[in-house]
C-alpha cells in the first residue's frame, strides 16, 4: 500500500504538489484596497504626554513638525536620527507622499487601463470608459493606501510621536529669565578703554506652544522648534481674474460657477469615476498639462486654455516647444486667447460653455480649473506665534535655516511658495534639520521665498514625461559674460537615432548643457534636459552627475550598459565634445 502511494506521488507530481505545498500569497496589486493593512489613526488615541526635556525646561519636544508630506516626513525622521525628541502633526487620517500623488495615481491607472484596452481590442473608447469605471477607484485607493502605510512605517521606526488632528499656534509665554540673558561683567581695563558698552546678548526665545484637537480630544504641547510643512491646496476663487500678463484689452473678471463633477479643480476631478467625453482644462501649469495629456490618452477630447506666457513658464524654450508639438500630435487643442466667461446649462448634454476673447465658444461636458495653489496656513493661527504670512497665505522665510519672523518657527516646502517640487521640499527640510540639530551650516538660501532649486530634479508626469535639473541653455548664456559665451556648449542624443530610444519614445531626447573651464581644462556640466517616456527615472542619474561634479569628459569615458536609456547620457556628452571648440 505504501509503495503504491509512493508511485502515485512520483508519477503525478503536477496533481499532488498544489495540495502538498502552500500556495504563494497573491500579488499586492490584486488585493482589494479595503483589505490593505493600513490602520485608521483618526480613531487612535494621542501618544502619551511626554515629560519636559531635561535640557530645556518647559519644553516637551525638541521639534514639532506640522504636515506629513515629503518635507515634513524628512524633517521629522532626520531630526530624530540626530537624537531629538520629535512629534509630527497631520490633519488627515490617510497621508504621506507628495501633493501631486493623486495625479500620479491617475496617470498610473491610465497606463494600466490603456495597456489592457490594447490587449482586449474592440471599441477603444468604450473599453476605456468601462475599465475606468470598474477599476479606477481601486487603483487610486491602492496607491494612496500603500503610500500612507510606507510613511507611517518610517515614522514609527524613527520613534516619532504621531498626532492625527488639527494643530494651531497658541500665544507663547514670556521667556523666563536666565543667567545667559544677563550681560557678563566687564573688566575695569575694558571699561576704561572701551568707547561704547557691548550690547547684551538677546534673551532666550520662549518655547512654542501648540494646541492639537481632534473630535473631543485636545492636547497642548510645547517645543523648542517648530517646522511648518503643511503644503498647499488648489486655489478656488469665487471670481476669475485674468492674469497680470494677459495682453490688452484685458477682459473683465467673472464668477466661476463651481459644481461637483462639472466645474471643479484637479482634486475634485481625481474622484470622478465616469470619464467625460470632452474636457476644457483652464491653466498652463504642471497639474493642468499633466491632466490634459492623461485625459487625451484616455480618448477624451481635451482643450487646454492657457495664456501664451503662462504655459509651463519655468521650462526652457526647447522643452516648451517639444511639449507643444506633443500636445498637437495627441489631438489636444491649445487655446491661448484670454478666458472671458464660463456658463452652465443644466439641460444640455454638454452643460459647460467656455468663452474666450477671440469670439470662440467651446461647449464641453466638464471644466477642470487649475489656477495655482494657496499655502495651507489659514488654520494654523500663525499670528499667535508671531509668524508673518505673505501673498496666497505663504509663510515668509529668510536665510539658510528658512526661519520665519519667529526665530523658533521654520517653514519648508510648498507652504513657502515656488517651486512646488517634492525634491526641493525634501532638500529644504534636510537643510533646516541639519542646521538646527546637526550643527551644519546649511547649503541653500531662500531670499525672497524663491528657494534654491536648480540642483533639485524637476519632473512632469505628462505623456510624454519631462524632466530637468541644473540650469537651462538660456540661463547659462544670460549669466555668462560675452567672452565666455563661446565656452557654453550643448550636446544631444535623439532617441530616434538609438535602438533603445526608439523602443521607449522616438520623439524623446537627452540634452546636456556644459561650459568649458580653463582652470581644469574640462567641460563642467551645468544642466540636463530630458524629454520622453522614462525621463523622470533617468533624471536622477543626471542629478547625481551634477552633484558629484563629473565633467563631460569623465561621463563620456565612463562605461555605460549597452542598449539602455542611460547610455544616452554618454552619447549626449560625446556630442557636446564634438561641438566644442575647446575639446
Amino acid at each position: 500500500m505504501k509503495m503504491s502511494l509512493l508511485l502515485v506521488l512520483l508519477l503525478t507530481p503536477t496533481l499532488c504538489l498544489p495540495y502538498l505545498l502552500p500556495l504563494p500569497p497573491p500579488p499586492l496589486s490584486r488585493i482589494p484596497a479595503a483589505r490593505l493593512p493600513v490602520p485608521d489613526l483618526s480613531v487612535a488615541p494621542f501618544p502619551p504626554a511626554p515629560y519636559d526635556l531635561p535640557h530645556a525646561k518647559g519644553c516637551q519636544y525638541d521639534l514639532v513638525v506640522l504636515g506629513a508630506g515629503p518635507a515634513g516626513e524628512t524633517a521629522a525622521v532626520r531630526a530624530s536620527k540626530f537624537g531629538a525628541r520629535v512629534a509630527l502633526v497631520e490633519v488627515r487620517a490617510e497621508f504621506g507622499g507628495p501633493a501631486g500623488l493623486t495625479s500620479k495615481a491617475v496617470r498610473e491607472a491610465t497606463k494600466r487601463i490603456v495597456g489592457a484596452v490594447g490587449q482586449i481590442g474592440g471599441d477603444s473608447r468604450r473599453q476605456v470608459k468601462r475599465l475606468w469605471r470598474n477599476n479606477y477607484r481601486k487603483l487610486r485607493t491602492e496607491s494612496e493606501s500603500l503610500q500612507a502605510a510606507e510613511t507611517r512605517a518610517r515614522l514609527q521606526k524613527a520613534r516619532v510621536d504621531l498626532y492625527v488632528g488639527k494643530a494651531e499656534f497658541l500665544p507663547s509665554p514670556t521667556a523666563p529669565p536666565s543667567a545667559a540673558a544677563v550681560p557678563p561683567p566687564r573688566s575695569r581695563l575694558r571699561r576704561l578703554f572701551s568707547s561704547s558698552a557691548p550690547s547684551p546678548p538677546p534673551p532666550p526665545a520662549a518655547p512654542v506652544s501648540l494646541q492639537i484637537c481632534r473630535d473631543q480630544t485636545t492636547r497642548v504641547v510645547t517645543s523648542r522648534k517648530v517646522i511648518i510643512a503643511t503644503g498647499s491646496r488648489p486655489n478656488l476663487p469665487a471670481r476669475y481674474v485674468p492674469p497680470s500678463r494677459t495682453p490688452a484689452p484685458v477682459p473683465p473678471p467673472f464668477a466661476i460657477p463651481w459644481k461637483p463633477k462639472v466645474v471643479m479643480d484637479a482634486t475634485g476631478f481625481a474622484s470622478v469615476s465616469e470619464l467625460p467625453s470632452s474636457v476644457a482644462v483652464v491653466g498652463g501649469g504642471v497639474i493642468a498639462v499633466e491632466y490634459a495629456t492623461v485625459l487625451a490618452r484616455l480618448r477624451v477630447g481635451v482643450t487646454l486654455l492657457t495664456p501664451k506666457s503662462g504655459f509651463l513658464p519655468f521650462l526652457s524654450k526647447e522643452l516648451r516647444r517639444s511639449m507643444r508639438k506633443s500636445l498637437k500630435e495627441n489631438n489636444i487643442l491649445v487655446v491661448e486667447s484670454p478666458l472671458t466667461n464660463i456658463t452652465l446649462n443644466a439641460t444640455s448634454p454638454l452643460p459647460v460653455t467656455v468663452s474666450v476673447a477671440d469670439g470662440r465658444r467651446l461647449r464641453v461636458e466638464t471644466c477642470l480649473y487649475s489656477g495655482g495653489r494657496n499655502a495651507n496656513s489659514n488654520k494654523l493661527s500663525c499670528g499667535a506665534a508671531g509668524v508673518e504670512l505673505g501673498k496666497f497665505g505663504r509663510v515668509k522665510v529668510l536665510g539658510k535655516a528658512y526661519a520665519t519672523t519667529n526665530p523658533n518657527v521654520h517653514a519648508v516646502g510648498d507652504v513657502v511658495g515656488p517651486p512646488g517640487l517634492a525634491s526641493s521640499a525634501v532638500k529644504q527640510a534636510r537643510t533646516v534639520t541639519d542646521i538646527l540639530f546637526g550643527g551644519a551650516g546649511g547649503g541653500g538660501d531662500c531670499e525672497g521665498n524663491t528657494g534654491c532649486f536648480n540642483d533639485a530634479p524637476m519632473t512632469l508626469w505628462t505623456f510624454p514625461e519631462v524632466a530637468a535639473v541644473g540650469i537651462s541653455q538660456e540661463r547659462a548664456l544670460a549669466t555668462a559674460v560675452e567672452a565666455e559665451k563661446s565656452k557654453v556648449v550643448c550636446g544631444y542624443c535623439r532617441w530616434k537615432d538609438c535602438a533603445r530610444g526608439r523602443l521607449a519614445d522616438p520623439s524623446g531626447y537627452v540634452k546636456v548643457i556644459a561650459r568649458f573651464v580653463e582652470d581644469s581644462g574640462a567641460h563642467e556640466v551645468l544642466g540636463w534636459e530630458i524629454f520622453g517616456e522614462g525621463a523622470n527615472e533617468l533624471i536622477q542619474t543626471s542629478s547625481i552627475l551634477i552633484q558629484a561634479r563629473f565633467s563631460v569628459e569623465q561621463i563620456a569615458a565612463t562605461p555605460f550598459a549597452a542598449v539602455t536609456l542611460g547610455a544616452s547620457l554618454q552619447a549626449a556628452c560625446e556630442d557636446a565634445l564634438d561641438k566644442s571648440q575647446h575639446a
Side-chain angles (χ1 to χ4, degrees), residues 90 117 140 164 169 223 269 308-309 344 356 380 396 406 567:
E90 171 58 49
V117 169
R140 177 193 168 188
V164 176
F169 289 101
S223 177
F269 194 91
K308 189 172 184 179
S309 59
L344 293 180
V356 292
L380 298 179
K396 292 186 176 181
N406 182 333

Side-chain angles (χ1 to χ4, degrees), residues 67-74 90 92 94-106 140 143-151 154 229-234 267 270 286-287 290-291 373 376 412-415 419-426 457 459-461 536:
E73 178 191 341
T74 300
E90 171 58 49
R92 300 172 299 165
E94 289 195 4
F95 54 83
L101 178 63
T102 301
S103 63
K104 312 306 180 288
V106 172
R140 177 193 168 188
S143 173
E144 294 177 349
S145 299
L146 290 174
Q147 179 63 64
E150 180 183 343
T151 300
R154 279 200 287 264
T230 48
S232 61
R233 66 187 186 280
T267 303
V286 175
I287 299 298
E290 283 181 350
Y291 271 96
R373 302 182 69 85
N376 286 329
V412 294
D414 290 7
V415 77
L421 300 173
S423 55
S424 178
V426 167
T459 56
L460 274 66
W461 292 93
N536 294 342

Side-chain angles (χ1 to χ4, degrees), residues 28-38 94 136-146:
L28 195 56
S29 59
R30 297 182 183 177
I31 300 178
R35 290 170 52 195
L36 290 174
V38 180
E94 289 195 4
Y136 167 64
R137 287 186 180 274
K138 174 193 170 184
L139 293 173
R140 177 193 168 188
T141 304
E142 176 184 311
S143 173
E144 294 177 349
S145 299
L146 290 174

